[in-house]
Amino acid sequence: MSESAENFWVYPENHPVLLQKIIREFHIHPVTAQLLLSRGFVQMEEIHAFLYAKLPQLHPPSLLPDIDKAVKRILEALKGRETVLVYADNDVDGMSGAALLSNFLEKIGISVIYHIPNQHCLEKHPVEEAFAFAKARGCSLIITVDCSLSHPEGSFGPDLIITDHHEPTKFPTRALAELNPKLIESTYPNINLTGVGVAFKFAHAILNALTDLGALFSNRIDLKEFLDFVALGTIADMGPLLEENRILVRYGLELLKQSPRIGLRRLFEETRLDMQELSPMDISLKIAPKLNSLGRIAYPEKGVQLLLTTDPKEAEALVEEIHRSNTQRQKMEKKITEDVEALLEKEPQILEEKAIVLCSQRWHPGIIPIIASKIARKYNRPTMVISLKKGWGKGSVRTIEKFPIMPVLKKHGHLFQNFGGHDFAAGFTIEEKQIARLHEYFVEEANKALGKEDLLKKIYLDSRIDFEDITFDFMESINLLKPFGHANREPLFYTQVVQYRPPKIIGKTTHIKMYLEQKKHRLEGIGFFMATRKEALQRKKEPFTIVFTPKINQFYNKPMIQLHVRDFS
């Protein structure tokens, strides 16, 4: 491991014999073979499944716990012409799953109402809110998407089917069926399905049952038409793009590129995305924040409306509303970020601990998940941000690789009114009088579990490469590893270079353009948000090492390879 001005670099391990075996077996570029090794692939079967997996390799939905009970209840609802409430979480994963399940159930003949509570609704107890909403609309069955509910004890209200992917907590649900690959008794091989992924599996199981009964011919409904929803929610919720998730997202991305859905197409146009080059990064950085703004400060049901609309005028109006909501969210985020930075400057002792806990009455509860993520990334520490109101705190937690948080929250679960999430992102509700104790426990657990090295920002390098090997053919070979995203990141290479021209600032005062040379081969590099390091770069007169990802950009309609430089030393 070596150090730059900003980060510690972790170099890949060398396995020359295995490397040659992968090259021979798959006839791929040596550097592409090294990429696979760097990501932990050592078995030929694993590599083949990763590179060439198709839809038929998806796991059967019958492996999910309680799936037979859930399907049976849906068939009863279909036969009895019942009205079903689809009740979802207020993020993109929930919106996508609600759109998928609502659309699918309507296609098979069930009357569906969908509901996603906004922040105002959630000031009530979510269980009370959900069941009151269902009762008022005559719904005899509630299906959750991307969230869990607890059926009120002694209640004779609607039946409850839970579809979720978060870590189960100690709170009993008393549901008729609970579909969650993370349940202890689950035999489902992919515990990393997101909420929309579980909803897709539920739809698949229902379709299988109807087909087996002869009640529906499978060619009337093609489940592949829902994979754009699955890709959208999986990417937005940072589902690992490995194994089954990677298959779902790879096919779903192709659907999104065609953007047959009017609402999505209009949102992509407003965001000025190049549809032919659409990537998971485009969705996670440009599309998801816009849709998520609805759940944070406005009306998340508008997101489901956008995904399902077939009316161009409605799509236009909804995209305008999303734009306004996102602009407001950005302003609020900027204000809270400034507030947090001022607080940390005033109380620097906060950063002396290995975890950060911040709370305020001034912070909007819908914005704190973004703030928690930003602080956790910036300071590389587990971070808890709490919004206070009327004696209660709504909290969001984000963490680092070495400190999964669900075990900690479960250990101190007696402090919360409710909590949920997974090992790297969670939320909770807590009485204000319990926050000091939670603060103490959280920091104590982090101080005990983490060493100094765990708090260092690390860059994991995939392979060394020379400029002469960075060709268009090579760029095509690394496309085998796409789609890149969470747990299957874009490749990071390193190599030694010199500068044939001084760097210059571009993008007003934000980025650096670099002019790099190696053995008479020249390539340009862009260091995004690295303008503050221009002077350090100018002082590099001897060969130095860069860390980068190569990209193909269009320059006057001519493709050129450019390096996105992440670091230098």
Side-chain angles (χ1 to χ4, degrees):
M1 190 159 69
S2 65
E3 185 177 9
S4 76
E6 301 284 316
N7 305 290
F8 275 80
W9 299 354
V10 182
Y11 288 91
E13 296 180 7
N14 290 320
H15 300 283
V17 175
L18 192 51
L19 180 69
Q20 291 304 317
K21 185 177 180 182
I22 295 171
I23 294 168
R24 288 194 306 271
E25 181 82 16
F26 296 99
H27 307 288
I28 55 177
H29 194 285
V31 176
T32 308
Q34 178 59 50
L35 285 175
L36 291 164
L37 280 175
S38 299
R39 285 142 199 261
F41 291 101
V42 293
Q43 301 293 330
M44 298 303 110
E45 296 82 4
E46 285 181 323
I47 294 172
H48 187 275
F50 178 79
L51 295 177
Y52 306 113
K54 309 286 185 189
L55 285 173
Q57 268 102 359
L58 294 177
H59 303 303
S62 57
L63 296 177
L64 277 169
D66 285 353
I67 192 72
D68 290 343
K69 294 180 192 174
V71 170
K72 181 181 177 185
R73 184 64 185 85
I74 289 294
L75 296 180
E76 290 172 1
L78 179 61
K79 184 178 180 180
R81 298 185 178 179
E82 299 174 49
T83 300
V84 173
L85 173 65
V86 172
Y87 182 93
D89 195 12
N90 63 359
D91 62 5
V92 178
D93 193 18
M95 294 175 200
S96 304
L100 186 157
L101 211 49
S102 298
N103 195 210
F104 172 80
L105 292 175
E106 284 179 349
K107 281 178 179 287
I108 65 170
I110 289 180
S111 174
V112 181
I113 298 171
Y114 60 81
H115 177 52
I116 304 181
N118 57 35
Q119 290 295 331
H120 176 70
C121 292
L122 289 174
E123 289 178 8
K124 309 174 191 176
H125 195 287
V127 172
E128 295 172 1
E129 196 276 334
F131 279 84
F133 186 94
K135 185 177 179 182
R137 288 153 184 82
C139 299
S140 50
L141 174 63
I142 299 175
I143 305 173
T144 74
V145 175
D146 190 34
C147 62
S148 183
L149 286 174
S150 175
H151 201 297
E153 196 165 8
S155 166
F156 296 98
D159 287 336
L160 176 63
I161 295 173
I162 291 170
T163 75
D164 194 14
H165 72 116
H166 296 100
E167 290 283 347
T169 64
K170 64 177 185 178
F171 303 111
T173 64
R174 291 183 283 273
L176 177 75
E178 190 166 358
L179 313 184
N180 185 339
K182 289 192 175 79
L183 291 176
I184 294 172
E185 65 271 24
S186 174
T187 59
Y188 197 81
N190 177 17
I191 63 168
N192 292 313
L193 279 175
T194 58
V196 69
V198 178
F200 178 79
K201 291 291 173 178
F202 189 21
H204 190 181
I206 296 167
L207 187 62
N208 285 348
L210 289 170
T211 304
D212 290 344
L213 290 169
L216 185 75
F217 294 104
S218 60
N219 61 1
R220 279 182 52 195
I221 297 177
D222 186 352
L223 282 177
K224 285 187 284 189
E225 70 183 73
F226 298 105
L227 288 176
D228 52 351
F229 290 153
V230 180
L232 185 67
T234 300
I235 294 166
D237 215 56
M238 293 189 69
L241 298 193
L242 298 170
E243 300 173 344
E244 188 174 46
N245 283 3
R246 184 164 176 270
I247 300 171
L248 293 167
V249 169
R250 189 163 65 181
Y251 282 87
L253 268 177
E254 291 307 309
L255 270 184
L256 285 169
K257 288 177 182 179
Q258 300 163 22
S259 60
R261 300 187 195 272
I262 291 172
L264 276 175
R265 183 164 65 244
R266 183 65 198 93
L267 183 60
F268 290 155
E269 289 168 356
E270 191 267 346
T271 313
R272 297 179 182 176
L273 290 178
D274 180 352
M275 294 310 303
Q276 296 310 306
E277 299 298 325
L278 185 70
S279 70
M281 190 172 290
D282 289 326
I283 291 170
S284 60
L285 296 182
K286 298 175 182 178
I287 296 299
K290 290 176 183 288
L291 288 171
N292 271 331
S293 69
L294 295 170
R296 300 195 190 286
I297 61 174
Y299 298 94
E301 287 182 359
K302 302 282 187 181
V304 184
Q305 279 180 250
L306 182 81
L307 296 179
L308 293 178
T309 186
T310 56
D311 181 352
K313 288 184 179 178
E314 183 182 34
E316 185 70 33
L318 287 167
V319 167
E320 287 178 10
E321 190 167 343
I322 289 169
H323 178 73
R324 287 193 299 270
S325 173
N326 191 51
T327 301
Q328 185 183 357
R329 186 270 305 172
Q330 289 171 326
K331 290 177 181 176
M332 296 169 72
E333 182 184 332
K334 183 174 184 290
K335 177 69 178 70
I336 297 174
T337 300
E338 290 170 352
D339 203 9
V340 167
E341 292 298 341
L343 175 62
L344 292 175
E345 189 174 337
K346 183 181 177 183
E347 301 181 36
Q349 72 275 9
I350 293 173
L351 296 176
E352 293 173 8
E353 305 287 0
K354 291 172 183 169
I356 298 170
V357 180
L358 304 170
C359 57
S360 173
Q361 294 182 347
R362 299 187 299 273
W363 302 339
H364 191 288
I367 305 298
I368 59 170
I370 307 172
I371 303 302
S373 293
K374 289 176 75 169
I375 297 170
R377 281 198 307 271
K378 181 172 182 178
Y379 297 102
N380 208 47
R381 282 165 168 74
T383 299
M384 185 177 282
V385 180
I386 304 170
S387 170
L388 297 173
K389 186 174 182 181
K390 296 179 182 178
W392 288 91
K394 185 175 175 61
S396 184
V397 197
R398 298 296 184 270
T399 190
I400 60 177
E401 184 181 355
K402 295 288 186 178
F403 191 72
I405 49 179
M406 280 307 288
V408 177
L409 297 185
K410 287 179 180 178
K411 182 178 178 181
H412 303 289
H414 61 282
L415 297 175
F416 305 108
Q417 183 198 36
N418 56 60
F419 68 92
H422 49 77
D423 278 344
F424 299 99
F428 60 83
T429 305
I430 189 170
E431 284 189 89
E432 187 172 354
K433 65 183 180 183
Q434 300 282 17
I435 291 175
R437 194 180 303 177
L438 174 63
H439 185 159
E440 180 186 347
Y441 287 153
F442 188 65
V443 172
E444 185 181 277
E445 296 276 4
N447 287 342
K448 204 163 36 177
L450 297 171
K452 285 185 179 179
E453 188 174 296
D454 296 324
L455 303 182
L456 299 172
K457 292 183 181 179
K458 300 180 182 71
I459 289 185
Y460 292 90
L461 308 180
D462 286 304
S463 177
R464 184 184 178 280
I465 191 171
D466 292 325
F467 275 12
E468 64 183 0
D469 290 324
I470 305 175
T471 63
F472 287 102
D473 285 342
F474 169 69
M475 297 297 290
E476 185 65 30
S477 76
I478 61 176
N479 284 342
L480 282 170
L481 278 66
K482 286 183 174 181
F484 297 121
H486 181 55
N488 183 39
R489 55 179 172 74
E490 289 189 306
L492 278 178
F493 301 108
Y494 64 96
T495 196
Q496 275 210 325
V497 297
V498 295
Q499 299 180 85
Y500 65 88
R501 188 188 299 173
K504 70 177 183 181
I505 299 291
I506 60 173
K508 295 183 180 178
T509 59
T510 311
H511 316 304
I512 309 178
K513 189 167 189 178
M514 309 176 190
Y515 302 91
L516 307 169
E517 184 175 25
Q518 182 190 77
K519 299 176 185 174
K520 298 183 180 179
H521 293 274
R522 290 181 171 184
L523 287 169
E524 291 183 1
I526 300 290
F528 289 105
F529 305 104
M530 292 173 68
T532 55
R533 299 181 68 190
K534 182 188 173 188
E535 289 185 14
L537 188 61
Q538 283 177 317
R539 291 195 294 269
K540 299 283 185 185
K541 305 302 181 187
E542 300 297 324
F544 62 99
T545 305
I546 60 169
V547 173
F548 64 94
T549 300
K551 300 274 191 172
I552 296 177
N553 289 337
Q554 296 292 327
F555 187 72
Y556 290 110
N557 293 322
K558 182 180 178 182
M560 61 173 285
I561 295 175
Q562 187 180 65
L563 310 183
H564 286 196
V565 179
R566 284 278 307 276
D567 203 4
F568 60 85
S569 174

